[in-house]
Amino acid sequence: MLTSGNELLEFIPQRTPVVMIDKLIYCDHEKIISGLKIESDNLFFSDGQFSESGMVENIAQTAAAGVGYVCKQENKNVSVGFIASIKDLKIFHLPVAGDEITTEVLVTNQVMQVSIIKGTIFRNGIIMAECEMRIFVKPD
């Protein structure tokens, strides 16, 4: 594991209660892996499950944490990104309280200030959700 807790907040712009990752497990320029334990007091938890919106936010924050981590490693300012589009979103299962999810983001392309990523959320090796996102990264 690379980082967790308050250290993780150095890499993402979100703050409690909107933080949807609790550990950064792996990161390089093409692949980012994060983890999150689903708690019943999570902002995106309702009707006994972690919502679809929470899962989308989890993928986006995983991508953001990766960019932030790389920027810090290279002594650069952490860039802020915005979801430009979501494509082919598939939700197969919704996690429940106590579940630990692992999210893998692969950077598939970079066009000017837009990163194209494929995000996949797993629980115990089972795919829970996946999508493609285009993320606009605000220039410094």
Side-chain angles (χ1 to χ4, degrees), residues 46-132:
S46 65
D47 297 325
Q49 299 176 314
F50 188 56
S51 73
E52 294 89 343
S53 299
M55 295 178 85
V56 169
E57 186 62 25
N58 170 263
I59 291 170
Q61 287 186 30
T62 299
V67 170
Y69 184 81
V70 168
C71 286
K72 286 283 188 179
Q73 296 298 308
E74 296 174 354
N75 292 317
K76 296 179 182 174
N77 291 333
V78 176
S79 302
V80 176
F82 305 92
I83 299 171
S85 69
I86 300 170
K87 182 178 171 185
D88 298 327
L89 174 63
K90 295 179 183 120
I91 307 288
F92 302 107
H93 310 281
L94 294 174
V96 298
D99 283 350
E100 296 241 6
I101 59 173
T102 303
T103 304
E104 180 178 281
V105 165
L106 300 174
V107 180
T108 60
N109 206 345
Q110 182 81 30
V111 180
M112 296 179 6
Q113 275 87 29
V114 177
S115 294
I116 301 169
I117 61 111
K118 180 179 189 320
T120 308
I121 298 174
F122 300 91
R123 183 193 68 216
N124 298 325
I126 297 168
I127 296 176
M128 303 294 282
E130 62 186 11
C131 73
E132 178 182 284

Side-chain angles (χ1 to χ4, degrees), residues 21-40:
I21 62 175
D22 58 19
K23 59 184 140 288
L24 185 61
I25 299 166
Y26 177 86
C27 182
D28 65 23
H29 286 277
E30 287 111 28
K31 182 178 181 179
I32 305 115
I33 301 173
S34 74
L36 175 67
K37 183 172 183 180
I38 307 300
E39 303 287 352
S40 61

